[in-house]
Amino acid sequence: MSEPVNDHVRSKSSSPAPARQVALIGNPNTGKTTLFNRLCSLRARTANYPGSTAEIRIGRCDRGDQKLEIVDLPGIYGMELDLPESQMCRDCLDGRLEETPDAILVVIDATSPARGLSLAIAAIARRLPTVVALNMADLAARRGLSFDEEQLSSKLGVPVVAISGRTGRGMDALIDALHTAIPGHAVLPLPSATNLERRAWIDGVIAASMGGHDAVGSSRDSVFNRLDKAFTHPILGLAVFVGVMGVLFWTIFSLAGIPMDLIDLLFEKLGGLAADVIPAGSVRDLVVDGIIGGVAGTVVFLPQILILFFLLALLEDTGYLARAAFVMDRVMCRFGLPGQAFVPMLSSHACALPGIMSARLVPDRDDRLATILVAPFMSCTARLPVYVLLIGLLFDGSPWLAGFAFAGCYLLGAAAALISALIARRTILPGRSRPMVLELPSYRPPSIRNAILVSWDRGMVFLKNAGTVILGIVIVMWWLSAYPRADPPDAALALRVEAAQVMATDAAQAEELEAEAERIELNAQQSGSFAGQIGSFAQPLFAPLGADRTLTVGILTSFLAREVFVSSLAVLQGGGSDVDDDESILQLVRDAKRPDGSPLFNTATAASMLVFFVLAMQCLPTLAVTRRETGSWKWPALQFVWMTGLAWILSALVFAVVTASTTA
């Protein structure tokens, strides 16, 4: 099960049977994560070493008296590369993070072993007990490859085990080897040897211990060659990518709807149960409106998170994701972003939280920071209620125009992200994005089991990190909107008296009067609360956008979560929580008036608000996740100031232009 980040504390002495710690290393796309999941299953947690933002996973593998603690380090192409992932591997193996591991497990792609053997040499040179796992041995065998494990072991001086992390082949032999491994003793290429000398030695080892037509990974099946030509073609590859991602996100939105509705229903029932059990008062309001409502607002996105990472894990297993990154690198690099940035950018259309989390796929630090900073510009699902409301006001009765406006919101967000990335790479993060260095992995069938475990792990991280932050925020926001308590207005008291008088003769009318009295009381409470007072104070700041006090309160409340804007307007305008369909909210807002009798929304104000909600940073959990991923508060602060400042400027410009055009 996942545990909180930065909570990795190991104490061998506290365990009655100390586990042998194994550092798991390997190139990207070698099936390392699949092997880790096979060995540890759900007995794993995600963590960060203190002082580092690179993620690791730690798991237990127990078989009788044989106990292993496996540390899954980030995938690397070389131990000595100037990358944070390589630095973490060096620090771990050299004992600079905490205790030196008891053994090293090097995972090599059996279908293309040359690069993996180079990493194995660097690991064996540490003089720690080492085991080499030839992963995907079943796939290699189907391609006509053969292995002499004993010969390869004698060349390297360490145990070599042919395995399949996907099917479980060789797991018992691998665990035995890890418990009996000793430091390598073979004469390996010296550190001063040239790259050509090292490669010649590796080729000799492969020739002596492996056979078959594809032993050095120099040839591929003709079908795979044709797939590679299609998937990496500048035009066809881009079209395939658009199609694949379109299907992926269509699947997310299609499949997530039912579980999201069930989660909503579950928390609705839970809130009702709490309201029945807890006596009326502040405690019940806090539990029902604050805690349960806040947690529901987080958990409702969990189906999208799980489905997203499940599908991404399947794509990565097949080998397609690396080819898509290669194609997108040509487009993204023009704006200072690497090809790997396309996954976080597209993921952010579902929710910025998993989008930012998936920026870990970007190897270079500056590229990763630029990706994290601009990912929230993508229009996430939380913006959809606001888009529906404002576009409905702007283009009522014109579905085609409304459709184009809806698409324009997504295009505006994407354009703002790319331009912002370009500006960032030429100012605070100077330099061009690093060219992607990757070895296209072999095509292979995906592991459903691995995808389930990956999505489970990511879902637990999402809940435990983002969820706890959101819970704290909603409690604070509930308190700001609930206090000081306002006395019921005279109008509300008069309605309740009238309702009591007509209850015996007309129950329906009495219910309507009670509902109206409740709406008036809610409106008065919102106006007189600390949140309402803050709205009145901040109104001059949003006046250039066409916002009055009511809209200002809605905007400020929406910084908790964008979708809160719609329900806030309904409450502030007397809609109450019983207004839950788009048509009633549209009608309510359309008829709303300002104190001077003018409409709350006119064309200029609606257009201005739409631009603002497309661009502004109005998601405090996103800022919290940015802080966790970057390790500093300066980056979420910059993210907030830049996005909100850009939104304010363009919104004010839109309001001024539309106002001038409508009054001319």
Side-chain angles (χ1 to χ4, degrees):
M1 300 291 289
S2 298
E3 291 186 358
V5 176
N6 290 326
D7 193 31
H8 172 51
V9 178
R10 181 172 62 94
S11 176
K12 293 184 178 180
S13 61
S14 63
S15 174
R20 195 176 203 197
Q21 190 184 67
V22 177
L24 178 61
I25 66 173
N27 298 149
N29 301 306
T30 56
K32 184 168 64 68
T33 299
T34 302
L35 173 59
F36 176 84
N37 288 333
R38 171 65 62 176
L39 291 172
C40 303
S41 189
L42 295 179
R43 291 167 294 177
R45 64 186 186 272
T46 301
N48 289 88
Y49 278 117
S52 171
T53 58
E55 184 183 81
I56 62 168
R57 298 179 71 213
I58 304 167
R60 293 278 302 193
C61 178
D62 299 340
R63 191 186 65 170
D65 294 334
Q66 295 179 318
K67 301 181 184 300
L68 299 174
E69 181 184 71
I70 300 178
V71 180
D72 183 16
L73 295 168
I76 57 174
Y77 283 110
M79 194 77 72
E80 305 305 323
L81 295 178
D82 184 22
L83 293 172
E85 292 80 4
S86 298
Q87 180 66 50
M88 167 169 279
C89 289
R90 294 195 297 269
D91 290 345
C92 178
L93 299 185
D94 295 340
R96 288 194 292 268
L97 292 178
E98 43 180 54
E99 297 181 32
T100 303
D102 298 309
I104 305 173
L105 174 57
V106 184
V107 182
I108 293 177
D109 182 353
T111 66
S112 183
R115 187 179 295 278
L117 285 176
S118 179
L119 182 61
I121 291 172
I124 294 171
R126 257 66 182 178
R127 301 297 297 169
L128 292 172
T130 303
V131 174
V132 172
L134 287 174
N135 197 21
M136 296 181 280
D138 53 341
L139 180 60
R142 287 199 297 270
R143 296 186 179 181
L145 295 172
S146 60
F147 310 94
D148 188 336
E149 297 172 47
E150 293 185 2
Q151 178 69 15
L152 183 56
S153 177
S154 67
K155 292 289 185 181
L156 296 176
V158 298
V160 176
V161 183
I163 67 166
S164 172
R166 189 175 67 87
T167 65
R169 166 188 170 183
M171 292 298 107
D172 290 342
L174 180 62
I175 294 172
D176 289 337
L178 287 171
H179 279 281
T180 59
I182 60 175
H185 59 272
V187 179
L188 300 175
L190 298 175
S192 60
T194 65
N195 289 334
L196 288 177
E197 290 172 339
R198 284 173 175 266
R199 183 55 189 254
W201 189 89
I202 290 172
D203 288 345
V205 169
I206 293 175
S209 56
M210 302 181 70
H213 71 281
D214 200 24
V216 295
S218 59
S219 63
R220 293 173 180 267
D221 185 271
S222 59
V223 174
F224 294 152
N225 275 328
R226 288 195 291 270
L227 286 176
D228 273 346
K229 289 180 180 179
F231 290 159
T232 61
H233 190 273
I235 298 176
L236 182 57
L238 186 60
V240 171
F241 164 74
V242 171
V244 169
M245 291 300 149
V247 172
L248 185 147
F249 281 98
W250 176 85
T251 303
I252 291 174
F253 289 116
S254 299
L255 297 183
I258 294 177
M260 290 177 73
D261 291 340
L262 292 176
I263 290 173
D264 270 337
L265 180 61
L266 172 64
F267 278 94
E268 180 183 343
K269 297 297 184 183
L270 183 61
L273 177 62
D276 292 338
V277 173
I278 303 174
S282 298
V283 174
R284 185 173 73 177
D285 292 343
L286 171 61
V287 172
V288 175
D289 300 331
I291 297 176
I292 294 179
V295 171
T298 301
V299 178
V300 73
F301 291 108
L302 183 60
Q304 291 182 332
I305 305 296
L306 296 177
I307 295 172
L308 172 66
F309 280 104
F310 177 81
L311 295 177
L312 287 178
L314 292 180
L315 286 177
E316 185 175 14
D317 266 359
T318 63
Y320 172 74
L321 213 55
R323 289 157 175 86
F326 178 81
V327 170
M328 290 305 298
D329 184 58
R330 300 188 183 103
V331 177
M332 308 295 287
C333 69
R334 298 178 184 272
F335 297 93
L337 294 173
Q340 296 98 331
F342 84 93
V343 173
M345 303 283 274
L346 285 173
S347 301
S348 296
H349 281 96
C351 177
L353 300 183
I356 292 174
M357 289 161 60
S358 62
R360 297 165 183 159
L361 295 170
V362 181
D364 180 74
R365 174 185 176 274
D366 288 350
D367 289 343
R368 185 164 55 248
L369 285 173
T371 303
I372 290 173
L373 289 176
V374 304
F377 273 118
M378 302 294 103
S379 289
C380 64
T381 54
R383 288 178 166 104
L384 298 185
V386 183
Y387 290 176
V388 171
L389 171 68
L390 297 175
I391 291 175
L393 290 170
L394 286 169
F395 303 104
D396 185 28
S398 302
W400 281 104
L401 291 178
F404 283 120
F406 209 88
C409 292
Y410 282 81
L411 292 176
L412 176 60
L418 294 177
I419 295 173
S420 297
L422 182 62
I423 294 173
R425 295 315 306 270
R426 295 190 176 182
T427 53
I428 58 174
L429 298 171
R432 297 176 60 86
S433 60
R434 289 191 181 188
M436 279 199 308
V437 179
L438 62 87
E439 184 175 7
L440 293 181
S442 303
Y443 291 100
R444 54 185 182 267
S447 168
I448 302 297
R449 179 180 185 275
N450 178 63
I452 292 174
L453 291 174
V454 168
S455 60
W456 172 270
D457 182 67
R458 303 321 315 161
M460 292 303 101
V461 171
F462 171 78
L463 287 179
K464 291 188 177 183
N465 291 284
T468 53
V469 172
I470 290 178
L471 180 58
I473 292 171
V474 297
I475 291 176
V476 172
M477 290 300 297
W478 170 85
W479 184 84
L480 289 175
S481 63
Y483 291 96
R485 292 294 189 182
D487 294 329
D490 292 340
L493 294 176
L495 287 172
R496 292 191 185 278
V497 171
E498 184 179 354
Q501 293 174 346
V502 302
M503 176 62 71
T505 58
D506 194 340
Q509 183 183 1
E511 185 177 345
E512 291 178 1
L513 292 172
E514 284 286 350
E516 181 65 20
E518 182 179 353
R519 285 194 291 267
I520 292 176
E521 289 178 354
L522 287 172
N523 193 14
Q525 175 60 40
Q526 288 291 332
S527 300
S529 67
F530 291 121
Q533 296 174 35
I534 293 171
S536 297
F537 176 79
Q539 191 273 334
L541 178 63
F542 294 96
L545 281 59
D548 69 343
R549 184 194 63 82
T550 299
L551 282 177
T552 299
V553 173
I555 293 171
L556 293 178
T557 306
S558 69
F559 281 101
L560 168 64
R562 296 175 179 94
E563 62 270 32
V564 175
F565 178 74
V566 179
S567 57
S568 296
L569 288 183
V571 171
L572 293 173
Q573 289 301 313
S577 59
D578 56 337
V579 179
D580 56 7
D581 61 273
D582 294 336
E583 286 299 322
S584 57
I585 291 178
L586 283 173
Q587 189 62 45
L588 178 71
V589 176
R590 184 180 295 111
D591 296 339
K593 304 294 183 182
R594 302 190 181 201
D596 61 0
S598 61
L600 178 66
F601 274 108
N602 54 31
T603 302
T605 301
S608 172
M609 290 293 100
L610 184 60
V611 172
F612 186 83
F613 275 88
V614 169
L615 301 176
M617 167 50 72
Q618 293 171 290
C619 184
L620 294 183
T622 296
L623 296 175
V625 172
T626 297
R627 159 64 179 85
R628 184 175 76 87
E629 295 298 307
T630 61
S632 171
W633 277 110
K634 70 177 182 180
W635 298 111
L638 175 63
Q639 191 179 55
F640 176 83
V641 171
W642 171 254
M643 292 184 64
T644 306
L646 179 64
W648 191 95
I649 292 172
L650 292 183
S651 298
L653 180 62
V654 167
F655 179 75
V657 170
V658 176
T659 298
S661 64
T662 55
T663 58

